[in-house]
Amino acid sequence: MRRASLPLGILVIGGFVATWHLGSLGPGNPYYAAATRSMSTDWRHFFFASFDPGGFLSVDKPPFGLWLQALSARLLGYAPWSVALPDVIAGTLAPVLLWSLICRRLGQVAGTVAALALILTPISVAVERDTVFESILTLLLLGAVGTAIRAITTGRWRWTLATAILLGLAFNTKFWAGLLVLPALTLAFAAQREKSLAARQLIVGALALAAVSVSWVAVVDHTPAAQRPFVGGSATNREADLVTHYDGLARLGWFGATRAPGEGSITQPTTGPDGGPGPLRLVSPELAAQAGWLLPPALAGAAWLVRSRRRWDAEQRTLALILGGWGLTGYAVFSLEGGTFHAYYLAELAPPLAAWAGVAAGALWTRLSRGGAGVWRLPMVVAVTAAWEAWILTSAPSGFLWLLPGLGLAPLLAMATGWSRRARPLARAMPAIAASATALLLALPPAAWVGSTLAASSDGLTPYAGPRSSAPTGAAQADPTRLGLAAFLVAHQDGWRFVAATATARTAAPLIILSGAPVMAMGGFAGADPVLANEPLSDILRRRQVRFFLLSASGAESRFARSIELDVRGSCPAQRPGAPALGGLVPALPPGEALYLCSA
């Protein structure tokens, strides 16, 4: 199939959506935003993905996405927009790469619609404007798909190695989530007609993938514990524990895998808009609104690929196997994930869904332009899609109900494409006009979700697309009380290794973001990490490493805070707001938090 030139419009539209109000973004996920600031100031902290500038604790994820964000912050200065810039770039390039993959093999219409569908996937827009790594991960997976197709169709080893490297980088971005496309790629390699070449490619690719994937984990685990941060999220202070447990079976909640009890346990399935595990989880209106607006045309595109398999060439066959395997694997994993599940994980499913929708659009347009048999399929697909989008809108606020009349009109316009072919003198123009109007009406609901996402500040722990009923959870970081506390701590750092210690990273993160000062998170992310087993609190108090302790009696960290409060009280006097301390007045404290001075 002739290779079309890259449409500039896709790049412009994708870049516009990704960068809209970029300068007004909040810090995104505060846990990762704090780590990015810490990593941007010291190369050792950079390598070990240290959460805090003191090098006490590392984040509970691999470092590649954080490396990109920290490099951006180091080069451009630390700010929310500079931290989000790698995700924004990845989110802009992903539709272009998807366009190239589809257009080259299935036509201009299919590629263009697929790219636009990805741009208008609400959760993809939400994650590319946050500090989570799904946009970077999606770009790496799309790149691996492209290199895998080249490796299979040309037999050249450099493409096999490139696929392994990209998947290895994806693994080092979010561990097992980075291998979501691996079963599909394995199937595509194994399906080659030359079985001996397929076997050699699979063996070499697997070895290269393993080498790239475990390299950083091996270096960290072979570094003495005293020379690196404690591995956040682990029970054994080893990255291997994250791979196999915390970010492995325990996160999936399969085979009875559990974590140690306590605040921050990830064994409880998420409730609310993210739903519970089950085969129908992803078709709930709340989750379908994140990535599934075009599910009916996507299924139609998949069906068309299966029906036309006898006419495939090698590249089309490989692409179809990968798209099908990617989508089915993602659906199975995210539907049945019983540990931690968040709606923004669905950004990894957006590329195959967008690609299938593009395939359906290309096939229907071919039928329409040629006339004759098969024209009836367009109104049918449009009617099912309109009904599906109306179902999703049942979860929307009343302000979005104006979209329903357009969905009712869309099937009528689709039906007009057939008889309008006989109208003269507009016989050629009317089908295109009717089809374009139909596509516009179907695109309005996801576009409205994207618009509401762009209007919101991405400063919460978990990105979520669409209208919000409340402020994001991270909004408290800009609270004047917390700003004042951060300024007070910076003014009294005076060379101490840690200016403050908190029970959890949730309390420490805003202070690190605002001040860049070293703040110790004694219990890890949510108070469940056994960090103090290696360095007991009594030793920390005796060696005077920490100047202030900031403890909270509320929220997820309360249990851990209560377990250490007696020791802190016995060694450190409480500081009352407005009272003099170290030549200055103690500022107002956030509600429910107490400050103790342990090193004068």
Side-chain angles (χ1 to χ4, degrees):
M1 187 167 292
R2 183 178 65 86
R3 185 174 183 176
S5 58
L6 174 66
L8 182 61
I10 290 176
L11 192 60
V12 171
I13 295 173
F16 173 80
V17 171
T19 59
W20 177 258
H21 281 173
L22 184 60
S24 64
L25 291 180
N29 185 300
Y31 182 52
Y32 300 136
T36 300
R37 178 153 198 175
S38 304
M39 294 165 62
S40 67
T41 60
D42 183 276
W43 288 115
R44 189 170 187 83
H45 298 338
F46 175 88
F47 179 80
F48 288 112
S50 178
F51 164 75
D52 59 273
F56 181 76
L57 179 77
S58 73
V59 296
D60 56 13
K61 294 293 184 293
F64 185 71
L66 286 166
W67 282 348
L68 297 179
Q69 294 173 352
L71 283 175
S72 177
R74 191 179 182 96
L75 291 172
L76 303 174
Y78 182 80
W81 68 268
S82 64
V83 174
L85 187 59
D87 302 85
V88 167
I89 293 174
T92 302
L93 294 179
V96 176
L97 185 51
L98 181 62
W99 178 90
S100 178
L101 289 172
I102 302 300
C103 185
R104 176 188 176 96
R105 296 161 182 93
L106 295 171
Q108 180 89 10
V109 173
T112 302
V113 172
L116 292 175
L118 183 57
I119 292 172
L120 290 179
T121 299
I123 195 59
S124 295
V125 176
V127 298
E128 71 191 18
R129 299 165 61 80
D130 206 284
T131 50
V132 295
F133 320 116
E134 259 61 22
S135 293
I136 296 170
L137 187 61
T138 297
L139 185 65
L140 289 171
L141 295 182
L142 282 171
V145 170
T147 56
I149 294 174
R150 297 296 296 272
I152 292 169
T153 56
T154 66
R156 294 179 179 175
W157 289 103
R158 66 171 179 264
W159 295 114
T160 302
L161 294 176
T163 303
I165 291 172
L166 288 170
L167 285 178
L169 293 177
F171 182 84
N172 279 293
T173 300
K174 285 200 73 173
F175 284 141
W176 296 109
L179 301 184
L180 189 68
V181 77
L182 182 59
L185 296 184
T186 303
L187 177 63
F189 273 99
Q192 295 180 79
R193 293 177 181 175
E194 191 176 340
K195 298 303 181 184
S196 60
L197 174 61
R200 294 196 302 271
Q201 286 179 321
L202 285 172
I203 292 173
V204 172
L207 292 174
L209 172 60
V212 177
S213 297
V214 305
S215 56
W216 180 79
V217 171
V219 171
V220 173
D221 283 354
H222 284 83
T223 301
Q227 299 177 19
R228 59 170 172 80
F230 183 93
V231 177
S234 73
T236 60
N237 195 15
R238 292 173 58 83
E239 290 289 341
D241 181 56
L242 291 185
V243 175
T244 60
H245 192 66
Y246 183 91
D247 286 319
L249 294 179
R251 186 162 291 272
L252 291 172
W254 294 353
F255 309 116
T258 59
R259 254 192 98 195
E263 308 285 359
S265 172
I266 62 169
T267 58
Q268 296 300 319
T270 306
T271 58
D274 292 341
L280 299 180
R281 167 193 261 173
L282 302 189
V283 298
S284 65
E286 294 85 356
L287 287 182
Q290 301 300 298
W293 290 95
L294 298 180
L295 180 60
L299 295 177
W304 181 86
L305 282 176
V306 173
R307 289 190 60 186
S308 60
R309 62 188 181 277
R310 294 181 180 177
R311 301 192 301 271
W312 290 344
D313 59 24
E315 290 196 358
Q316 290 173 326
R317 182 186 308 109
T318 302
L319 178 63
L321 285 174
I322 293 174
L323 289 177
W326 185 351
L328 291 175
T329 301
Y331 185 88
V333 170
F334 295 142
S335 294
L336 303 178
E337 191 169 350
T340 295
F341 173 81
H342 297 298
Y344 70 86
Y345 295 170
L346 298 181
E348 287 188 68
L349 268 181
L353 287 175
W356 287 342
V359 169
L364 291 171
W365 180 254
T366 299
R367 296 274 188 179
L368 181 64
S369 60
R370 293 176 181 175
V375 175
W376 59 271
R377 291 188 177 92
L378 176 60
M380 183 181 68
V381 172
V382 170
V384 173
T385 304
W388 170 251
E389 292 188 353
W391 157 252
I392 295 176
L393 286 174
T394 60
S395 68
S398 58
F400 286 80
L401 297 182
W402 62 271
L403 296 165
L404 289 175
L407 294 177
L409 181 61
L412 298 178
L413 283 173
M415 293 174 61
T417 59
W419 60 260
S420 63
R421 294 183 56 84
R422 303 182 181 88
R424 295 183 181 277
L426 301 177
R428 294 183 179 180
M430 286 301 295
I433 294 173
S436 299
T438 301
L440 179 62
L441 290 175
L442 294 180
L444 278 178
W449 245 245
V450 168
S452 63
T453 303
L454 295 178
S457 174
S458 59
D459 58 353
L461 278 171
T462 56
Y464 197 79
R468 304 183 186 185
S469 58
S470 60
T473 57
Q477 292 167 183
D479 180 76
T481 301
R482 202 169 294 276
L483 286 169
L485 177 60
F488 173 81
L489 295 176
V490 170
H492 295 93
Q493 182 171 351
D494 296 336
W496 291 90
R497 181 185 175 191
F498 295 98
V499 67
T502 67
T504 71
R506 294 179 178 179
T507 303
L511 298 176
I512 295 173
I513 293 171
L514 293 170
S515 68
V519 180
M520 175 192 293
M522 294 178 290
F525 177 70
D529 295 353
V531 186
L532 295 185
N534 287 2
E535 190 172 11
L537 179 62
S538 57
D539 290 350
I540 294 175
L541 293 170
R542 177 175 50 82
R543 290 196 286 151
R544 302 282 183 176
Q545 296 184 66
V546 178
R547 194 154 217 195
F548 291 95
F549 277 78
L550 180 67
L551 301 181
S552 175
S554 61
E557 66 174 25
S558 58
R559 182 182 301 176
F560 182 81
R562 287 195 300 268
S563 71
I564 64 174
E565 189 170 15
L566 289 179
D567 289 335
V568 173
R569 280 183 178 180
S571 303
C572 313
Q575 302 298 294
R576 304 300 178 191
L582 302 175
L585 295 179
V586 177
L589 299 175
E593 295 184 5
L595 187 68
Y596 300 87
L597 173 62
C598 289
S599 300

